[in-house]
Amino acid sequence: MAKRDYYEILGIGKSASEQEMKSAYRKLALKYHPDRNPHSPEAESKFKEAAEAYAVLSDTEKRRTYDTYGHQGLGAAGAAAAGFNPDAFADFSDIFGDFFGFGDLFGGGGRKRTRAQRGDDVRYDLELTFDDAMRGHEVELQIPRTEPCPGCRGTGADGADGWTTCSVCRGRGEMLYQQGFLTIRRTCSQCGGSGKLLRKPCQQCKGEAFIQVTKKLKVKIPAGVDTGMKMRVPGEGQPGANGGPQGDLYVFLNVQPHPIFERHDDDLHCTVPLNMAQAALGTEIKIEALDGVRTLKVPEGVQSGETLRLRGSGAPRVNSSGYGDLIVHIEVQTPRKMTREQRKLVEQLRELLPESGQPADKGLLEKLKDYLM
């Protein structure tokens, strides 16, 4: 029976790049691998066929020979002359990656579970009052997490003889399987790659090697923090596995609203109501700011909606020195009810003021702007 064209087997054209060829082979190898198709001679045959095609086309010299002379150019021995030997699979871990643990199958190393692994990070949501956030505050947190069991020092075993050698892999942590021309290395399913089994579990942690604890931790909150900010406390997360480093603690902050001030970046805003006389004649008002009582001079003729600024009376800047500003929004209030005397005075004022009540002239520039728009 004539051999199929290697390009046809992989489903690629003769101008296919190395990456396209590798991707095509990976799909076929995963589709027809014996682990996915047990007891299927057809799948095993297609798997070998794809592997042979890739072994030839992935080699620059062999691919050039095949493109020129076809299968005959590779020699009478066919796949053997094409270099079809275990060395051809040395880079298969790059093709398969960690899919189904193929990095182990082709010599990428076993015993994955015995590698040092970094511990998980821990999140803690902290609510602060507005005053504590502005002035800075030290809080004591109670962090639920796991720690190595003190009874077994994180081994999970009761004493030195608590572990025994795995009888399935004989302590190697991996098993070897022969499938046709392939020698497959796989992590031992009995011991998970550790090469040993727990014979006498620790009485305190029941063999888990870790226990649940609540750790008290003091954290200093800097002045000026705001909702949405987070603080990282290195090494206060979950413990690592197999000697790996501990994770980190992340404190997410939520600041309660203030009854008077509203924050925008580093500036604080508040609204101050004035009566008609204060707005018309000007006045001085006292404001209880974060840095103490501040006196604000309001100019005469101030209008409702105008803002006045007290520099340096805002929120502390967390990442730099200094403070934001306090922005005072003026609200001129018209009395809804008046005494007879107040009404008489306002009526006298009305007689003295220019008559109004007509739409205001927006000015020439505003009119021109509206016309152009």
Side-chain angles (χ1 to χ4, degrees):
M1 182 177 178
K3 295 176 71 69
R4 292 177 62 199
D5 180 74
Y6 286 148
Y7 291 102
E8 179 186 345
I9 292 172
L10 297 180
I12 58 175
K14 289 191 174 183
S15 60
S17 65
E18 181 180 350
Q19 186 59 43
E20 291 173 332
M21 176 175 55
K22 184 179 293 187
S23 177
Y25 171 64
R26 183 180 185 275
K27 292 179 181 178
L28 292 174
L30 293 177
K31 180 179 180 180
Y32 295 115
H33 191 272
D35 281 356
R36 280 189 160 187
N37 305 273
H39 314 298
S40 174
E42 181 182 359
E44 183 176 356
S45 175
K46 289 183 178 294
F47 178 77
K48 292 179 179 179
E49 189 179 46
E52 179 181 327
Y54 180 75
V56 172
L57 299 182
S58 62
D59 186 292
T60 304
E61 292 299 325
K62 293 168 187 173
R63 182 177 182 178
R64 185 181 296 113
T65 301
Y66 177 76
D67 289 345
T68 305
Y69 303 105
H71 290 291
Q72 293 182 350
L74 299 175
F84 194 56
N85 55 62
D87 292 339
F89 300 93
D91 65 340
F92 276 20
S93 60
D94 175 54
I95 297 174
F96 291 106
D98 291 330
F99 195 90
F100 289 137
F102 272 55
D104 291 343
L105 301 188
F106 298 101
R111 308 190 182 189
K112 286 187 176 181
R113 298 188 183 181
T114 61
R115 295 177 184 171
Q117 295 181 355
R118 182 180 180 276
D120 293 334
D121 294 330
V122 173
R123 170 173 177 153
Y124 189 96
D125 293 293
L126 178 64
E127 189 158 314
L128 297 169
T129 66
F130 188 88
D131 289 339
D132 285 342
M134 293 299 99
R135 293 180 172 85
H137 187 52
E138 184 175 74
V139 295
E140 183 177 81
L141 308 181
Q142 296 191 11
I143 311 296
R145 69 181 192 191
T146 57
E147 284 190 351
C149 172
C152 62
R153 297 183 179 179
T155 66
D158 185 7
D161 59 345
W163 291 96
T164 183
T165 302
C166 176
S167 59
V168 176
C169 67
R170 298 180 182 180
R172 294 191 301 269
E174 59 189 16
M175 301 294 293
L176 299 179
Y177 300 90
Q178 190 73 31
Q179 290 190 356
F181 56 84
L182 292 178
T183 299
I184 300 178
R185 180 182 299 160
R186 180 171 296 167
T187 301
C188 177
S189 59
Q190 180 73 10
C191 64
S194 66
K196 55 186 179 180
L197 297 173
L198 185 60
R199 187 166 64 93
K200 292 171 56 180
C202 170
Q203 297 299 313
Q204 187 170 345
C205 66
K206 310 302 180 185
E208 295 294 330
F210 296 94
I211 59 172
Q212 295 291 331
V213 299
T214 299
K215 181 174 180 180
K216 294 182 179 180
L217 181 67
K218 289 187 177 181
V219 176
K220 187 173 183 180
I221 308 298
V225 297
D226 198 6
T227 294
M229 292 183 178
K230 63 182 179 181
M231 297 177 56
R232 173 176 169 265
V233 185
E236 292 295 343
Q238 297 288 17
N242 302 312
Q246 198 153 327
D248 298 331
L249 168 67
Y250 286 89
V251 182
F252 285 74
L253 305 176
N254 182 60
V255 180
Q256 297 174 355
H258 193 273
I260 296 177
F261 300 119
E262 185 174 321
R263 180 172 179 174
H264 296 281
D265 296 326
D266 294 324
D267 293 333
L268 298 181
H269 295 251
C270 70
T271 300
V272 173
L274 298 178
N275 61 41
M276 294 187 301
Q278 288 175 311
L281 302 176
T283 186
E284 285 188 353
I285 56 177
K286 295 186 181 297
I287 299 177
E288 186 75 32
L290 297 180
D291 55 348
V293 178
R294 296 290 302 272
T295 300
L296 178 64
K297 186 174 182 179
V298 180
E300 62 180 42
V302 69
Q303 301 296 308
S304 188
E306 290 186 17
T307 59
L308 302 174
R309 184 182 298 266
L310 287 172
R311 297 194 179 277
S313 291
R317 296 189 174 98
V318 179
N319 298 320
S320 62
S321 60
Y323 295 79
D325 299 333
L326 175 58
I327 312 298
V328 179
H329 297 255
I330 299 299
E331 183 181 272
V332 180
Q333 295 183 337
T334 303
R336 294 181 180 274
K337 293 182 178 181
M338 293 182 288
T339 65
R340 289 183 179 180
E341 184 178 1
Q342 290 172 340
R343 187 175 185 83
K344 183 178 179 180
L345 291 173
V346 172
E347 287 176 348
Q348 292 176 3
L349 179 62
R350 181 176 61 181
E351 296 298 327
L352 297 175
L353 292 176
E355 186 175 351
S356 184
Q358 297 297 319
D361 189 342
K362 297 172 64 177
L364 179 61
L365 292 178
E366 289 295 325
K367 292 179 180 178
L368 180 60
K369 178 179 175 183
D370 291 344
Y371 175 79
L372 294 176
M373 292 178 63

